[in-house]
Amino acid sequence: MPAGTTSGTPQVLLAHHLKQLKLPTVLREYDKIARECARDGVDHPRYLLRLVELALIDRERRMVERRIKAARFPAVKSLDTFDFTAIPSLNKMLVLELARCEFILRRENVIALGNSGTGKTHVGLALALAACQKGFTVAFTTAAALVHQLMEARDERRLLKLQRDLQSVMLLIVDELGYLPLSPTGAELLFEVFSQRYERGSTLVTSNLPFEDWTSVLGSERLTGALLDRLTHHVHILTMNGDSYRLKQSAGRRRPPTAADRAEQNQTTAETVDPETGETSKP
Ligand code: ADP
Ligand code: MG
C-alpha cells in the first residue's frame, strides 16, 4: 500500500510500535518536536537527537522514581535541607563525600552513632536518596522491622528468598539499632544479614548506642564481636552526638559553629574503628 493513502494510518501504527518498544516519551513528544524542528529549520538527525535525548532523560527520571519507591523510605529527605551547623560533631566533608556514593562501589559500610534527634535518620535517608539518583538499588528498614520480617519469613519458610533479596540491594539501610533489645533468634538473623552482605554490598546502620553497648541489644558478646568485626572492617563512622534537633527547634535556640567546629568539619579522612573497643581514630 503506498504511503499516505490512508490518512491517520502511519500515526496509528507508529503509536502501536512505540508502545511495543516502550518509548512513551517518543510517542508523546515526536509530533510537537517535529513541528518545533520544522519551524526552526532543524534537520532530521538533530530532530531525532532531540527526541532521543528527551526520552533518555525521562527514562532516567522514571528509574530514579522506581528505585525510591522500591526502597520504601518513610520520608524523602535530602542534604539540601540538612543544617550542618546544628550538629558540629558531624564531619560535613565526609557526609558530602559519601553522598557521591563511591563507597557503594567499594562496598564499604557507614555507621551513624549518636543520641536521639540528631539527624541520623535524616542523613541516612539523604544518602539513600543520593544512591537512588546515582542508579543504585536501595532498601530502607529499621532494625526492629527487619528482624520482624526475618522471623516472619522464617516461620513461613521463605527466609532464603528474603535473605537473597536483602543481599542483592546495593545499599541496605538499617535504622535505629539499639532502641529495642532483640531476641536471640532475632539477633542471629540480623547477624546473618550483615554477614551475607559483608564485602558484597554496602550497609548503613544508625544507632543511639556506642559500640560497647551493642551487646545489650544483640544479647551475646560473641555475636556482637563477630557482627562488629564484619560491619566495621570497611567503615565510615558518622559521629552525631549533640542536642536533639527537634528539641532545639521547639526551644527556638541555635548556636553558631565555633572555629573548632569548622576545623573538624574540614577534615576529609574517614575514621577507622577498633571493633574491640569501638574507639574511632583517623589514619
Ligand atoms: P535521629 O534519627 O538521630 O533520631 P532524625 O533524623 O529523625 O534524628 O531527626 C529528627 C527531625 O529533625 C527530623 O525531622 C529531621 O529531618 C530533623 N533534623 C535533625 N537534624 C537536622 C539538621 N541538622 N538539619 C535539618 N533538620 C534536621
Ligand atoms: Mg532516627
Side-chain angles (χ1 to χ4, degrees), residues 173-193:
I173 318 255
V174 181
D175 199 20
E176 294 183 357
L177 183 77
Y179 283 115
L180 296 172
L182 304 174
S183 67
T185 314
E188 263 173 52
L189 288 169
L190 188 67
F191 168 77
E192 272 180 43
V193 171

Side-chain angles (χ1 to χ4, degrees), residues 28-204:
R28 199 183 60 237
E29 300 291 334
Y30 80 88
D31 192 44
K32 187 175 121 233
I33 296 187
R35 272 186 271 120
E36 282 172 14
C37 286
R39 184 196 62 206
D40 302 343
V42 171
D43 62 15
H44 283 93
R46 284 183 182 82
Y47 161 60
L48 199 56
L49 184 63
R50 270 193 205 178
L51 197 55
V52 169
E53 274 174 350
L54 210 61
L56 264 180
I57 292 166
D58 239 23
R59 175 172 294 181
E60 184 49 39
R61 188 182 45 74
R62 282 197 306 274
M63 301 232 329
V64 170
E65 276 167 14
R66 211 170 301 146
R67 284 190 289 265
I68 290 172
K69 201 158 167 232
R72 295 170 177 275
F73 297 147
V76 178
K77 303 240 173 179
S78 82
L79 287 181
D80 297 342
T81 57
F82 192 77
D83 176 8
F84 282 93
T85 64
I87 176 89
S89 75
L90 179 63
N91 183 340
K92 178 179 176 180
M93 295 313 284
L94 175 56
V95 176
L96 297 183
E97 168 62 28
L98 291 173
R100 294 170 57 187
C101 296
E102 283 162 18
F103 76 99
I104 302 174
L105 289 173
R106 295 191 297 264
R107 298 169 162 80
E108 294 164 352
N109 299 327
V110 178
I111 305 179
L113 297 176
N115 47 296
S116 179
T118 51
K120 300 182 297 298
T121 301
H122 189 135
V123 168
L125 283 167
L127 293 178
L129 180 66
C132 287
Q133 286 164 341
K134 291 200 156 54
F136 298 102
T137 51
V138 178
F140 187 102
T141 181
T142 63
L146 178 58
V147 165
H148 182 83
Q149 231 189 332
L150 287 161
M151 305 258 268
E152 201 173 67
R154 194 195 53 157
D155 292 347
E156 293 168 8
R157 296 177 170 276
R158 49 178 181 82
L159 183 59
L160 269 176
K161 160 99 174 60
L162 177 60
Q163 285 177 329
R164 234 178 277 135
D165 291 348
L166 288 165
Q167 206 178 305
S168 71
V169 288
M170 291 164 179
L171 175 64
L172 175 70
I173 318 255
V174 181
D175 199 20
E176 294 183 357
L177 183 77
Y179 283 115
L180 296 172
L182 304 174
S183 67
T185 314
E188 263 173 52
L189 288 169
L190 188 67
F191 168 77
E192 272 180 43
V193 171
F194 290 150
S195 182
Q196 286 163 352
R197 290 187 61 77
Y198 173 61
E199 293 191 334
R200 292 206 188 98
S202 294
T203 308
L204 186 156

